[in-house]
Amino acid sequence: MPTKVLRRTVDLSAFPNLVVIYLGMRVNRLTGLKTVFGFGPMISASVAAKPDGLLLHEPIIYSLFPMHAGMRQYWRDMESMLVWSRSDPHRQWWQSFLKDSGGTGFWHETYIRNGGMEAVYDDIPQPIGFAHFAPVVEARGPMFGAAHRAKTPDAGAPVISEKELYES
């Protein structure tokens, strides 16, 4: 006997500036397992702190081999997400990762309801997401920071400057 589908949708009118971000960390070398598992408790603690603007955090396992874990987050707006990402502990994590990936690769893709998308892929050996079909370019100059890539009105400074990253 056929079952009728209970079809639903959502009314996002109360979230005109909604931002959805998918993030992932992929183990590239054996030492990366320690890095990935080390981030779990830190991420859980940061989510438990309920940062302003974070509406929902969902963990995701992309694959077991190679280990590739991540999350999907829903933010009230880009400004909230950028304020959080530029503050501790995230700022410290990002600065540390960009100096030493710990045997992992990291990526994120951001989708902004009122317009704009952006992505970064750091030490990701195989194309994923946008990188499967869009030209991949170096994250330098205007492509260095997420806010600039997404063309947000008040882009502000990235967590670490291009000069700090490449000249230190």
Side-chain angles (χ1 to χ4, degrees):
M1 179 160 171
T3 305
K4 278 195 173 183
V5 173
L6 176 58
R7 195 160 181 251
R8 297 179 175 184
T9 188
V10 293
D11 177 0
L12 294 174
S13 61
F15 306 96
N17 300 309
L18 183 68
V19 173
V20 180
I21 183 167
Y22 282 80
L23 305 101
M25 185 172 265
R26 180 190 186 280
V27 172
N28 290 336
R29 293 187 307 278
L30 196 54
T31 57
L33 285 170
K34 180 181 175 191
T35 303
V36 168
F37 288 118
F39 267 96
M42 295 188 297
I43 291 168
S44 294
S46 72
V47 170
K50 299 186 187 225
D52 182 46
L54 179 61
L55 303 172
L56 179 65
H57 169 92
E58 299 174 316
I60 299 172
I61 300 294
Y62 295 105
S63 71
L64 294 176
F65 188 79
M67 171 54 81
H68 186 174
M71 64 203 79
R72 176 175 50 212
Q73 293 182 335
Y74 297 84
W75 289 83
R76 178 183 60 232
D77 51 43
M78 189 72 164
E79 182 182 358
S80 299
M81 188 179 74
L82 290 173
V83 165
W84 180 82
S85 70
R86 292 174 179 160
S87 63
D88 292 333
H90 181 275
R91 183 180 61 83
Q92 293 172 341
W93 300 341
W94 193 233
Q95 288 174 341
S96 177
F97 174 84
L98 288 175
K99 291 177 182 172
D100 178 3
S101 69
T104 65
F106 173 84
W107 64 272
H108 76 244
E109 292 183 350
T110 310
Y111 311 91
I112 305 161
R113 182 168 189 235
N114 63 8
M117 291 182 266
E118 66 84 28
V120 72
Y121 310 95
D122 294 318
D123 287 341
I124 297 295
Q126 318 259 296
I128 58 175
F130 295 145
H132 272 288
F133 57 86
V136 176
V137 299
E138 280 193 61
R140 302 291 297 258
M143 297 298 277
F144 185 74
H148 288 283
R149 288 190 302 269
K151 298 181 180 11
T152 57
D154 182 20
V159 170
I160 186 170
S161 74
E162 190 171 0
K163 184 176 180 180
E164 288 174 288
L165 181 60
Y166 293 110
E167 294 180 15
S168 56

